[in-house]
Amino acid sequence: MRIKTDSVIHIGVYLVLLTSLLSTIGCGGGGAQAAGSPSPSPSPTPAPSSASLSATPSSLGFGTQALNTPTTQTVKITNTGTVALAITQDTIVGSGFSAGVTTPINLNPAQSVNVPVVFNPGSAGTVNGSLTMVSNGTTILSVPLTGTGLAPLAHSVDVAWDPSSSATLQGYNVYRSTVSGGPYTKLSPTLTTSTLLFTDTTPVSGKQYFYVVTAVDTNGAESSASVQVAVTIPVP
């Protein structure tokens, strides 16, 4: 009986020592702290900085354009990140698309740059492409592009005018331009004399033309141009 009792006492002492040791070390494995002392607050970890770009609009659609007729749209590229960003390369994909930007471009946070994008289709059909902004080998932004090329269709434009009141009138010349205000190119190979109408058979779809008429007297003197008339040829 004494041996059994000694064994029980021995185990009880061991458990008391183990409990005391754990209390001294602490649950977290650290050193002992004075009772009632607050735990130190961890130092705040700063949020990581990031580099990002946004595009306004997010994509460019050029619709249907006559072949070899360039049209331009502008996309605004903004640094929406928290650090300065260097655009070291721009890449544009898609037949007929081109970008009017020179890299490298350095943008601070919230700073923007306008990038003109041109679509000049060389063949009929829809083209899907993209404008990509790269920083030191990493693609930061890609802007989808789309447009459709249309083979020009022949049209005709009838140009009519009021008669001149000159007694020495010999005839009329008809001029056309693709730019408002000229310069103009004469369409009529000879003076129009018998009618007050000229038919232009060379316009193509998707373009705009500007017409003027002049009067020529028997001495060959030509009047100033009439009021300009604009005509836009529709795209089917």
Side-chain angles (χ1 to χ4, degrees):
M1 292 294 292
R2 184 178 297 117
I3 295 174
K4 184 176 181 180
T5 301
D6 290 342
S7 175
V8 170
I9 294 173
H10 175 73
I11 293 173
V13 172
Y14 175 78
L15 290 174
V16 170
L17 290 175
L18 179 61
T19 302
S20 176
L21 178 61
L22 290 174
S23 176
T24 302
I25 295 174
C27 294
Q33 296 183 4
S37 298
S39 300
S41 301
S43 300
T45 301
S49 59
S50 61
S52 62
L53 295 172
S54 69
T56 306
S58 58
S59 62
L60 295 180
F62 289 84
T64 300
Q65 300 295 325
L67 299 187
N68 304 311
T69 304
T71 184
T72 302
Q73 293 190 30
T74 299
V75 59
K76 182 179 181 180
I77 306 298
T78 303
N79 181 353
T80 55
T82 58
V83 295
L85 178 65
I87 301 174
T88 55
Q89 182 183 358
D90 70 288
T91 302
I92 196 160
V93 176
S95 177
F97 292 113
S98 61
V101 62
T102 302
T103 53
I105 301 172
N106 296 310
L107 295 178
N108 292 320
Q111 192 174 9
S112 302
V113 62
N114 290 325
V115 178
V117 179
V118 178
F119 179 51
N120 186 13
S123 58
T126 299
V127 180
N128 294 310
S130 64
L131 171 65
T132 301
M133 296 297 172
V134 177
S135 179
N136 298 315
T138 300
T139 298
I140 306 297
L141 176 69
S142 184
V143 181
L145 310 173
T146 185
T148 300
L150 178 69
L153 301 176
H155 293 266
S156 64
V157 174
D158 290 331
V159 182
W161 57 91
D162 295 328
S164 170
S165 59
S166 172
T168 59
L169 175 69
Q170 183 180 4
Y172 302 92
N173 282 324
V174 180
Y175 294 84
R176 187 185 75 184
S177 177
T178 55
V179 179
S180 179
Y184 300 96
T185 300
K186 187 167 68 172
L187 295 178
S188 48
T190 60
L191 289 175
T192 301
T193 58
S194 58
T195 65
L196 300 176
L197 177 70
F198 178 84
T199 301
D200 179 11
T201 59
T202 60
V204 294
S205 55
K207 291 193 175 184
Q208 187 175 39
Y209 300 94
F210 303 89
Y211 295 90
V212 295
V213 177
T214 63
V216 180
D217 66 15
T218 53
N219 294 320
E222 190 170 18
S223 71
S224 57
S226 66
V227 174
Q228 174 183 273
V229 175
V231 175
T232 300
I233 307 302
V235 175

